[in-house]
Amino acid sequence: MKTYRTIKELRAALESARQGGASIGLIPTMGALHEGHASLIRAAVQETGFAVVSVFVNPTQFGPTEDLAAYPRPLEADCRLAESLGAQAVFAPEVGEMYPSGEPAWVEVGGHLTGILCGRSRPDHFRGVTTVVAKLFNIVGPCRAYFGQKDGQQAQVVRRMAAELFMPVEVVIKPLIREADGLALSSRNVYLSSSQRAAALVLFKSLAEAGACLERGEREPQKITALLKARIKAEPLAELDYAEIYSFPELNDPGPEICGPVMIALAARVGSTRLIDNLVWPEKPALDA
Ligand code: AMP
């Protein structure tokens, strides 16, 4: 495995891989890799001939008061992990390599899909995501690109971008990976103190309760979101951002009664750390088990 810092060097390596007949898989990440990212890398290694892990803390998707400077950047450990999983390349560019003029050509998905959930709490966030992902797609030219359901809204936004711009790439979405106790794996979990780590479990626990409610036959979205809000409110270290339910995968308003698959989505601050989590109900059966 090799680490590439420039587009030119990466493209040369990709060209020879393609000449050798390999299909290219891309796993876009911001680094500080964990088992959630590893699940995407494993899938890409299995399903394509040349897996490229991009590691880039993308400044344009952070708001002015967010954690861009503090975001963990353990590049050497990330490269070791990617290599141990069988990836062929890590692409870790500097900001100037990705934004050469400093005045980006924005790529933006408009409308409802980016106006709800994180789109409401983090203005311009998805514009930053789609801009950098479009750049990565143009640089790498993958036939498959891998995203996690952890960022369920982001995955649908990227899918919409690729479809609307006729990008010749399959956007693959893989399941959300959790710690043994249920906490969704996230690079931001390193910010949590041990008491905050314990408090952060309230996200998973309330989602699990909401899932159980649906299992018992509850179909009123408002009743379920009221339960979620009450549970988060009862945890003194957590401050709710949103608790909402949308149809899945379209992310439309479910109306007064849930009558198909839904995504229950939560965002909350624990201390100064903003965490997101979600549950898709009913869980899709694994097709390739
Ligand atoms: P990030 O580095 O946080 O920008 O994430 C890069 C990719 O890894 C995104 O597609 C995320 O959805 C995915 N990812 C992050 N955490 C998890 C997780 N716990 N389970 C599955 N995928 C994840």
Side-chain angles (χ1 to χ4, degrees), residues 28-30 34 36-37 40 147-148 150-151 154 175-177 185:
T29 82
M30 296 208 300
H34 49 65
H37 301 110
L40 305 181
F147 293 83
K150 162 72 170 36
D151 301 86
Q154 169 181 284
L176 193 163
I177 307 294
L185 282 167

Side-chain angles (χ1 to χ4, degrees), residues 27-31 33-37 39-40 61 71 146-152 154 174-178 184-188:
I27 310 98
T29 82
M30 296 208 300
L33 302 181
H34 49 65
E35 194 49 42
H37 301 110
S39 70
L40 305 181
Q61 70 189 69
Y71 202 86
Y146 293 81
F147 293 83
Q149 178 57 31
K150 162 72 170 36
D151 301 86
Q154 169 181 284
K174 294 288 179 186
L176 193 163
I177 307 294
R178 300 181 179 282
L185 282 167
S186 164
S187 304
R188 290 191 166 97

Side-chain angles (χ1 to χ4, degrees), residues 90-229:
V90 165
F91 177 49
E94 299 288 346
V95 172
E97 184 76 4
M98 292 298 279
Y99 292 96
S101 75
E103 296 182 328
W106 296 111
V107 176
E108 187 163 14
V109 169
H112 170 74
L113 202 51
T114 53
I116 58 171
L117 301 172
C118 288
R120 205 175 323 117
S121 318
R122 304 181 72 189
D124 294 337
H125 168 67
F126 285 119
R127 182 182 75 164
V129 170
T130 42
T131 297
V132 82
V133 172
K135 284 171 182 276
L136 290 167
F137 284 3
N138 280 337
I139 293 164
V140 175
C143 61
R144 289 163 78 80
Y146 293 81
F147 293 83
Q149 178 57 31
K150 162 72 170 36
D151 301 86
Q153 182 182 13
Q154 169 181 284
Q156 297 305 326
V157 170
V158 168
R159 240 189 204 165
R160 172 74 59 81
M161 172 192 78
E164 279 288 324
L165 296 177
F166 309 106
M167 292 172 158
V169 54
E170 187 179 343
V171 174
V172 180
I173 305 173
K174 294 288 179 186
L176 193 163
I177 307 294
R178 300 181 179 282
E179 303 268 17
D181 63 1
L183 183 70
L185 282 167
S186 164
S187 304
R188 290 191 166 97
N189 290 350
V190 298
Y191 299 146
L192 301 170
S193 68
S194 62
S195 57
Q196 290 172 338
R197 166 71 180 72
L201 254 193
V202 73
L203 276 80
F204 168 68
K205 284 187 175 159
S206 32
L207 284 172
E209 239 185 280
C213 242
L214 281 158
E215 285 299 316
R216 284 196 301 274
E218 179 58 64
R219 291 293 177 271
E220 251 189 76
Q222 281 197 347
K223 286 212 176 127
I224 299 168
T225 51
L227 172 104
L228 289 167
K229 286 174 189 171

